Amino acid sequence: MAWMDYLREIPDFPEPGVLFRDVLPVLAVPDAWREVLDSLEQQVRPLGAHVVMAPEARGFLLAAPLADRLGAGLVPVRKPGKLPDPVFRERYTLEYGENQLEVEETTVLKGRRVVIVDDVLATGGTVKACAHLAERLGAEIAGFAFLIELKALNGRSRLDDIEAPVLALERL
Ligand SMILES: O=P(O)(O)OC[C@H]1O[C@H](OP(=O)(O)OP(=O)(O)O)[C@H](O)[C@@H]1O
Ligand SMILES: Nc1ncnc2[nH]cnc12
């Protein structure tokens, strides 16, 4: 079976009106998980990124093995209150709420090419906040990569002002 066959769709989670796409079952099946990582690696490698950046939590699961395959560094972007000061902080909205993301201000990214990776591109609020954090660290955005892009939520247009490719393994 292809990796998409393991994707779960849950109506009205985590709140009414949201069709939640659960990628975690994909990761539990070795062949499906390898297929995802192989495809991501193939699409992302040409971007020539020095560093993979990803938001907590599902982004971490993809970014760590991908960074290892690419021989790139890894910069985790965390939910509030998890990182010691000094941090850069961005407030953002996502499909089902709002929050803040933080990155350690001491991270050395000046002049580094950064690819931002996550499981789902919905409204784009989460990765837009990551991109702002990367820019505040002096990085150049090499691109964005997702397992799934939810076309109806138009996240891609939210990233229009950032000159970098937006890659997705599947567009639903
Ligand atoms: O494009 P957006 O509208 O910003 O939504 C996409 C984000 O929402 C989910 O994360 P969530 O905040 O639910 O956190 P989790 O990974 O900890 O489950 C998903 O993993 C993306 O990071
Ligand atoms: N519909 C959705 N499914 C999974 N993750 C999401 N993050 C934001 N919207 C989502």
Side-chain angles (χ1 to χ4, degrees), residues 51-71:
V51 171
V52 180
M53 175 182 259
E56 183 174 351
R58 282 174 267 154
F60 289 2
L61 302 170
L62 301 168
L66 179 65
D68 180 62
R69 282 168 171 236
L70 296 173

Side-chain angles (χ1 to χ4, degrees), residues 55-58 79 93-96 118-126:
E56 183 174 351
R58 282 174 267 154
K79 302 268 167 74
T93 57
L94 75 160
E95 189 186 3
Y96 38 71
D118 206 354
D119 62 333
V120 175
L121 173 63
T123 63
T126 303

Side-chain angles (χ1 to χ4, degrees), residues 9-22 95 150:
E9 296 189 343
I10 302 102
D12 299 320
F13 181 86
E15 56 185 43
V18 175
L19 178 60
F20 188 81
R21 321 284 177 145
D22 182 13
E95 189 186 3
L150 305 180

Side-chain angles (χ1 to χ4, degrees), residues 66-85:
L66 179 65
D68 180 62
R69 282 168 171 236
L70 296 173
L74 176 68
V75 174
V77 173
R78 299 217 59 183
K79 302 268 167 74
K82 301 289 186 179
L83 295 175
D85 278 335

